[in-house]
Every structure is written in C-alpha cells, then in structure tokens.
Amino acid sequence: MTFYKKYIPLLLLLIIVVSTVLGCESNFKEVQKNDYSEFVPSGDADNVNLKYTDSGRIKSILVSPKMYDYANVDFAFTEFPKGVDVTIYDNKGKRTFIKSNYAISYKQTNIIDLQGKVKITSEAGQMLETEQLYFDQKNQWFYTEKKFKLTDAKGGSTGQGIDFSKDFKVVNSQRIEGEIESSE
C-alpha cells in the first residue's frame, strides 16, 4: 500500500504530461502556409507600347510583347521576359535603336539591364553587339564588361568591356582588337 501512495502522485503527473503532449496537435504546417508569400507581379501587360515624354517631346519609345511590374517588392523593378525594342531620341531628334531578348529595369537606381543578343544601332550607322549591356538612364550612359563588337563606317573592332554615351559620341573601350580606317 505504501508503494501505491508513494508513486500515485508521480503516476498522475506522468499521465497528465503525456496526455497534454499527445493532446496538442501540431499545426506547424498550417503556420508555414500562413507565413508563405508568393513573389508575383503587381502588374502584367501584353503587347506594350510605351512612349516617354519630357516637356512635350518624345524621349523614347519602348515596345515589348510582355511586361511584369514588381512595384510591390522592396527593390521594385519591371521585367520584360520576351525582350524589348527601344528607340531613344536625342534633343535634335536623332534616334538610337536598341534590341535585346530580355530586359529588367530597376526603379530605385534607374539602371536597365539588357541581356541576350543586345544590339544598338545609331542613325549614323554605328552598331554595337554584345550579350549584356547596362543603361544608366540618369546619365544616359551604356556600359558592359562582356565581349562586344563595334562597327561603323571606319571599320570594326571587338573587345571586352566598353562604355559609351547614348549617341556614341564618347566611347571608352577596353581590350580591343580590330581594324579602323585612319585619316593619316
């Protein structure tokens, strides 16, 4: 009898602890579902034709078959997964044409990342081809560290790494090769 009196409180405590542990259901999976957030665009558009103007003048025209706008994320961006076709106008109305297979524009930095068969052509006949090119919209400046091919009326060159103004008036190239016609 002393055996039961000695161990009954301990046995009751053990039964309470076991029933409490077994009685609580695990809702960990439900908590995970509630905390899950999808990375979805806040905007989605097909056959986009955007015209950017400043003081009543067209500065650029962007055409793309698909656009996703991720304005709802911390580092907002706009994605063009099926490529872009852009025409940029300078103050005198001269155009620069840009094509790429993919583009992404970051809103906070005003940088556009062009990827996949990037081709830029000026009305003067200059053409640059590369696989990736960045465009700084604020400074109107292009740059890449990738291999490139630059051609114009004087000849052509290839290299790795280049930066230039949107009108090709200032060009800084690195590690270049090629033949260029000289006036000397």
Side-chain angles (χ1 to χ4, degrees):
M1 186 81 167
T2 56
F3 176 76
Y4 291 113
K5 283 184 183 179
K6 187 176 179 183
Y7 291 107
I8 285 180
L10 186 60
L11 189 60
L12 284 173
L13 180 64
L14 183 62
I15 291 172
I16 291 171
V17 169
V18 170
S19 64
T20 304
V21 170
L22 293 178
C24 294
E25 71 178 70
S26 174
N27 62 352
F28 182 68
K29 297 242 187 244
E30 193 66 35
V31 170
Q32 281 182 323
K33 285 181 189 175
N34 291 340
D35 194 34
Y36 179 75
S37 65
E38 288 188 44
F39 190 70
V40 295
S42 59
D44 177 346
D46 294 320
N47 301 316
V48 177
N49 188 337
L50 297 172
K51 291 176 177 67
Y52 295 96
T53 60
D54 184 16
S55 303
R57 300 181 98 176
I58 294 178
K59 292 294 185 179
S60 63
I61 299 171
L62 181 143
V63 177
S64 178
K66 189 70 170 173
M67 181 187 87
Y68 296 118
D69 186 21
Y70 290 91
N72 56 340
V73 297
D74 289 338
F75 194 68
F77 63 94
T78 303
E79 180 183 32
F80 302 91
K82 295 184 179 181
V84 292
D85 189 352
V86 180
T87 304
I88 299 176
Y89 296 86
D90 70 6
N91 292 336
K92 295 178 182 174
K94 291 193 178 189
R95 299 175 296 178
T96 302
F97 307 97
I98 306 165
K99 287 186 179 206
S100 73
N101 291 344
Y102 175 85
I104 188 164
S105 174
Y106 299 99
K107 294 180 181 182
Q108 290 175 342
T109 60
N110 284 325
I111 300 290
I112 299 174
D113 181 1
L114 303 157
Q115 299 176 24
K117 295 185 181 179
V118 181
K119 184 177 180 179
I120 299 181
T121 310
S122 72
E123 278 189 339
Q126 297 156 311
M127 182 174 65
L128 179 112
E129 297 172 276
T130 186
E131 280 303 309
Q132 183 173 26
L133 188 68
Y134 297 99
F135 180 55
D136 180 346
Q137 296 177 83
K138 181 180 177 188
N139 297 309
Q140 300 291 296
W141 201 260
F142 290 96
Y143 58 94
T144 186
E145 291 298 319
K146 301 283 186 181
K147 291 182 180 182
F148 69 89
K149 179 182 175 185
L150 178 64
T151 55
D152 63 12
K154 296 179 182 178
S157 63
T158 59
Q160 185 165 349
I162 189 169
D163 63 285
F164 56 97
S165 60
K166 75 174 183 177
D167 56 6
F168 286 96
K169 288 185 179 176
V170 179
V171 177
N172 302 310
S173 16
Q174 305 165 15
R175 293 177 257 163
I176 60 169
E177 300 175 356
E179 296 180 21
I180 299 176
E181 190 178 299
S182 174
S183 60
E184 295 177 1

